């Protein structure tokens, strides 16, 4: 460097001022800062373009991209290694190429989370109040417990904490299944055990142990009752399109059509299908026929979820590359509070028949086979016959009065006998109070032109063959009461598939033959799901579902629902 370059600017007298190192450092810092600002502005413009313009990228209301990228390790020659290349980034407006892995990396901790639906927060708050009130009432009902306001409040809070620890406030249990009620029983058992341990450590308490246990047991019962009422109200609102979540379906079109159809039929599930993403959006005619809009391809799911304000994404299983795709999608949605659901392709299989068996790298779902023999079957048979005997004894005055009414109507026989096919194809005579005129069977062909049945069974809403007494019997299902004799004989069960006519069985395919693996029932899923209003396909589907998934607890639930269906008179004609 020459000597003039080492000198500073000239002074008025022509002499040169010595250069100041501090000024040089400041100048360089300003230049570097200006360069950083320019680079940051360029990156911000690129990120904004990717977030707002690219259909395959999440919008500003979802997760945000990581601001900094780690340096790429280099080889001694200065060339990045093959395994350490920079993660690909999608260019603005590029919506036709690439997969989820081509999108910018996102940080779950910086994600903008979706707000919990207001109805869910209100529902949870209502459950907490109901649960606390249930225990307070139970404590007040205990004989020797006379607590003040503070102990009552502490008891209610303790009960809510026990329910929380038992998982009774998990949203996944709301609306369907028995897990919600089981968790209440788990909480009660755990609370009783904890109180027993505490008393053993601190010595006898001033109040009796029996009263405490009684209060917890009664509180658990009232809690289950309160939650049953809350669930019924939830179902009613969901049938009106309220208290639900918006879901986008992802996968092959054929599978999505079936899923969308089943979700629409089950309005109480709370899932509202707002759209679908399929491999080939331009050829998705099946979804269009059932009014499910196709919102994009598989690469555009994050953007679709954001634009549709969806609460969940449901992915259909059994597709090539599905495992890798689902994993990347779950990563992309981390931190957003958007639920990722997998529809495994299993239909008409109860949850209690599924068992997840872990392996080193992936879970395996085992489908437990139905139980048609053994202790459970013996227990069901014993309960059926015992309940039938008790029912006949208690209802004998009513049965006698109904028999007299039928006889006085037209002097014909009291009972109507009809051949039906039972377990393993055995034919038996089902018994009913006669609700039609004598010889009504011979007029079926005469009335065939006004048949309102499901194509297999003859039904009419205003059947001229039904007597006045028969109308009353059918409205309240009293004509079915003599079937308790069939149950006592072992020909029928209290709960089971609908007793089939021989002409029906002659048309059965392999699926429908499964109905003959168990005894037919006085009531069943068909009875509580619409009865005569059901199509033939729906009737068969419900019967096969029961056969494959029956349990004593499910039988008790159907009996309870039968009482409601009889009072409502739904499908009774």
């Amino acid at each position: 460097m020459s000597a003039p370059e080492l000198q500073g600017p000239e002074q008025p007298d022509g002499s040169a001022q010595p250069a100041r190192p501090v000024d040089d450092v400041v100048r360089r810092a300003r230049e570097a800062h200006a360069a950083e600002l320019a680079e940051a502005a360029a990156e911000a413009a690129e990120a904004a373009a990717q977030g707002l313009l690219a259909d395959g990228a999440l919008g500003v209301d979802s997760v945000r991209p990581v601001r900094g990228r780690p340096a790429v390790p280099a080889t001694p020659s200065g060339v990045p290694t093959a395994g350490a290349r920079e993660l690909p980034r999608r260019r603005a407006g590029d919506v036709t190429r690439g997969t989820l892995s081509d999108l910018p990396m996102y940080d779950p901790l910086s994600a903008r989370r979706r707000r919990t639906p207001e109805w869910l927060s209100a529902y949870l708050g209502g459950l907490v109040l109901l649960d606390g009130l249930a225990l307070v009432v139970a404590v007040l009902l205990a004989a020797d417990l006379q607590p003040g306001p503070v102990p009552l409040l502490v008891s209610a809070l303790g009960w809510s904490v026990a329910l929380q620890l038992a998982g009774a406030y998990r949203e996944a249990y709301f609306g369907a299944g028995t897990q919600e009620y089981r968790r209440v029983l788990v909480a009660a058992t755990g609370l009783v055990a904890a109180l027993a341990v505490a008393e053993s450590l601190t010595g006898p308490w001033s109040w009796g142990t029996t009263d405490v246990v009684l209060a917890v047991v009664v509180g658990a019962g009232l809690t289950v009752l309160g939650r049953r009422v809350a669930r019924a109200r939830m179902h009613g609102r969901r049938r009106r399109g309220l208290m639900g979540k918006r879901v986008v379906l992802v996968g092959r079109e054929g599978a999505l059509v079936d899923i969308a159809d089943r979700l629409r039929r089950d309005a109480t599930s709370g899932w509202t299908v707002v759209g679908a993403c399929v491999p080939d959006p331009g050829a998705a005619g099946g979804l269009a026929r059932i009014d499910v809009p196709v919102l994009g391809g598989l690469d555009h799911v994050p953007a679709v979820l954001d634009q549709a304000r969806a609460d969940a994404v449901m992915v259909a299983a059994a597709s090539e590359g599905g495992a890798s795709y689902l994993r990347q999608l779950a990563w992309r949605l981390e931190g957003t509070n958007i639920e990722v659901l997998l529809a495994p392709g299993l239909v008409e299989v109860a949850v209690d028949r599924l068992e997840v068996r872990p392996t080193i790298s992936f879970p395996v779902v085992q489908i437990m086979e139905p139980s048609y023999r053994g202790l459970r079957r013996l227990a069901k048979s014993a309960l059926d016959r015992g309940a039938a005997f008790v029912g006949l004894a208690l209802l004998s005055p009513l049965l006698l009065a109904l028999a007299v009414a039928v006889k006085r109507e037209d002097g014909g026989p009291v009972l109507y006998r009809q051949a039906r096919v039972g377990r393993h194809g055995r034919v038996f005579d089902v018994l009913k109070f006669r609700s039609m005129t004598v010889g009504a069977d011979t007029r079926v062909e005469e009335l065939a032109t006004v048949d309102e049945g499901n194509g297999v069974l003859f039904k009419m809403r205003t059947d001229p063959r039904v007597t006045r007494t028969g109308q009353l019997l059918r409205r309240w299902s009293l004509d079915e009461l003599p079937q308790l004799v069939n149950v006592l004989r072992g020909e029928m069960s209290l709960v089971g598939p609908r007793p089939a006519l021989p002409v029906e069985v002659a048309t059965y395919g392999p699926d429908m033959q499964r109905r003959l693996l168990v005894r037919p029932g006085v009531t069943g899923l068909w009875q509580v799901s619409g009865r005569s209003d059901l199509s033939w396909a729906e009737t068969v589907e419900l019967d096969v579902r029961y056969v494959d998934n029956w349990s004593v607890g499910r039988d008790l639930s159907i009996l309870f629902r039968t009482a409601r269906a009889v009072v409502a008179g739904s499908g009774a004609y």
Side-chain angles (χ1 to χ4, degrees):
M1 184 177 294
S2 61
E5 293 176 334
L6 296 176
Q7 297 176 346
E10 293 186 356
Q11 299 297 317
D13 58 1
S15 61
Q17 181 179 357
R20 295 193 304 174
V22 175
D23 295 338
D24 190 46
V25 171
V26 172
R27 177 178 57 80
R28 293 181 179 179
R30 289 176 177 174
E31 292 176 353
H33 181 62
E36 290 178 357
L37 289 177
E39 182 181 0
E43 291 184 355
E46 180 185 0
Q50 289 177 343
L52 297 176
L53 302 179
D55 292 340
L58 285 171
V60 295
D61 288 332
S62 189
V63 293
R64 299 189 295 273
V66 175
R67 295 303 181 189
R69 290 175 288 175
V72 180
T75 60
S77 62
V79 180
T81 60
R85 294 174 182 170
E86 182 180 348
L87 290 175
R89 297 175 64 88
R90 174 165 290 190
R91 295 187 297 273
D94 185 2
V95 298
T96 60
R97 295 179 294 173
T99 62
L100 285 173
S101 61
D102 296 327
L103 297 175
M105 182 65 70
Y106 280 78
D107 180 10
L109 299 180
S110 67
R112 178 174 297 178
R113 295 179 62 83
R114 294 286 176 83
R115 297 179 60 182
T116 301
E118 294 183 1
W119 68 262
L120 181 56
S121 300
Y123 186 78
L124 282 171
L127 285 184
V128 172
L129 291 177
L130 279 177
D131 298 339
L133 181 62
L135 193 71
V136 168
V137 172
V139 170
L140 294 176
L141 291 178
D144 297 332
L145 297 181
Q146 298 179 353
V150 175
L152 284 177
L153 180 60
V154 172
S155 300
L157 292 177
W159 179 232
S160 297
V161 170
L163 291 172
Q164 172 66 24
L165 295 177
Y169 292 117
R170 287 188 58 185
E171 181 195 351
Y173 299 150
F174 297 158
T178 60
Q179 277 294 330
E180 181 180 6
Y181 308 135
R182 293 181 181 179
R183 296 296 170 177
V184 173
L185 300 181
V186 169
T189 303
L191 184 58
V192 170
L195 292 175
V197 172
E199 185 178 13
S200 65
L201 295 176
T202 61
W205 292 343
S206 58
W207 54 80
T209 304
T210 303
D211 290 331
V212 173
V213 173
L214 179 62
V216 173
V217 172
V218 174
L222 293 176
T223 299
V224 170
L225 180 61
R227 287 180 173 242
R228 186 69 187 86
V229 174
R231 177 178 292 191
R233 294 193 61 186
M234 172 186 281
H235 287 176
R237 294 188 178 184
R238 283 181 170 176
R239 291 188 184 97
R240 299 194 300 270
L242 305 175
M243 298 183 70
K245 287 192 171 183
R246 299 163 61 87
V247 61
V248 171
L249 306 181
V250 175
R252 291 185 174 182
E253 183 187 16
L256 300 191
V257 169
D258 181 67
I259 293 174
D261 181 63
R262 292 180 180 275
L263 290 179
R264 286 180 174 178
R265 282 188 291 166
D266 184 13
T268 59
S269 66
W271 296 112
T272 301
V273 179
V274 296
C277 293
V278 295
D280 187 3
L287 289 169
R289 283 191 292 271
I290 61 174
D291 297 326
V292 175
V294 177
L295 304 179
L298 299 185
D299 295 339
H300 307 147
V301 173
V304 167
L305 293 173
D306 186 63
Q307 295 165 7
R309 307 305 300 167
D311 302 297
V313 55
M314 185 176 296
V315 182
S319 60
E320 294 83 353
S324 176
Y325 176 84
L326 183 61
R327 188 185 191 193
Q328 294 180 28
L329 180 61
W331 283 347
R332 288 280 298 177
L333 298 177
E334 282 183 358
T336 63
N337 201 27
I338 296 177
E339 300 177 34
V340 180
L341 310 171
L342 176 64
L346 300 174
V347 296
E348 309 303 344
V349 179
V351 176
D352 50 14
R353 285 183 56 208
L354 301 178
E355 182 176 344
V356 179
R357 305 182 66 174
T359 63
I360 294 178
S361 59
F362 64 95
V364 176
V365 179
Q366 179 182 1
I367 304 176
M368 312 300 291
E369 66 177 63
S371 176
Y372 301 122
R373 58 179 64 89
L375 293 178
R376 291 179 61 195
R377 177 59 61 183
L378 290 176
K380 178 178 173 64
S381 180
L383 288 174
D384 283 339
R385 298 193 180 193
F389 178 80
V390 173
L392 288 172
L394 295 178
L395 297 175
S396 55
L398 175 61
L399 295 174
L400 180 60
L402 294 177
V404 172
V406 172
K407 189 67 175 180
R408 292 184 59 183
E409 176 76 23
D410 55 10
V414 173
L415 296 178
Y416 172 74
R417 301 173 183 267
Q418 189 177 40
R420 298 293 178 104
V421 181
R423 187 184 181 192
H424 300 319
R426 298 189 183 95
V427 180
F428 69 97
D429 286 337
V430 69
L431 302 178
K432 292 185 177 182
F433 280 125
R434 184 174 57 85
S435 59
M436 292 186 176
T437 58
V438 178
D441 292 342
T442 61
R443 300 181 57 189
V444 173
E445 294 184 2
E446 173 189 340
L447 301 172
T449 57
V450 290
D451 182 12
E452 301 178 47
N454 51 32
V456 178
L457 302 177
F458 179 87
K459 286 288 183 180
M460 291 182 62
R461 293 184 180 273
T462 55
D463 196 324
R465 301 173 299 168
V466 178
T467 64
R468 288 179 299 177
T469 304
Q471 292 176 358
L472 176 65
L473 295 177
R474 291 191 169 202
R475 168 59 182 83
W476 300 102
S477 297
L478 298 175
D479 56 327
E480 312 282 351
L481 290 180
Q483 293 178 24
L484 293 176
V485 176
N486 293 114
V487 176
L488 195 59
R489 292 176 179 173
E491 299 165 338
M492 294 181 64
S493 176
L494 290 178
V495 181
R498 186 186 59 81
L501 294 167
V503 293
E504 299 175 46
V505 178
T507 65
Y508 277 4
D511 293 346
M512 292 184 286
Q513 288 287 344
R514 296 187 63 82
R515 299 171 70 184
L516 305 181
L517 292 175
V518 299
R519 295 187 181 93
V522 177
T523 185
L525 282 176
W526 53 275
Q527 181 85 355
V528 300
S529 303
R531 293 195 277 185
S532 299
D533 293 334
L534 297 174
S535 67
W536 173 247
E538 291 172 335
T539 301
V540 172
E541 180 180 326
L542 290 172
D543 283 344
V544 174
R545 182 192 304 174
Y546 173 82
V547 172
D548 287 346
N549 303 296
W550 82 270
S551 67
V552 175
R554 195 164 285 110
D555 283 359
L556 295 177
S557 174
I558 291 174
L559 289 173
F560 176 78
R561 293 170 59 187
T562 298
R564 291 193 307 166
V566 169
V567 172
S570 57
Y573 56 88

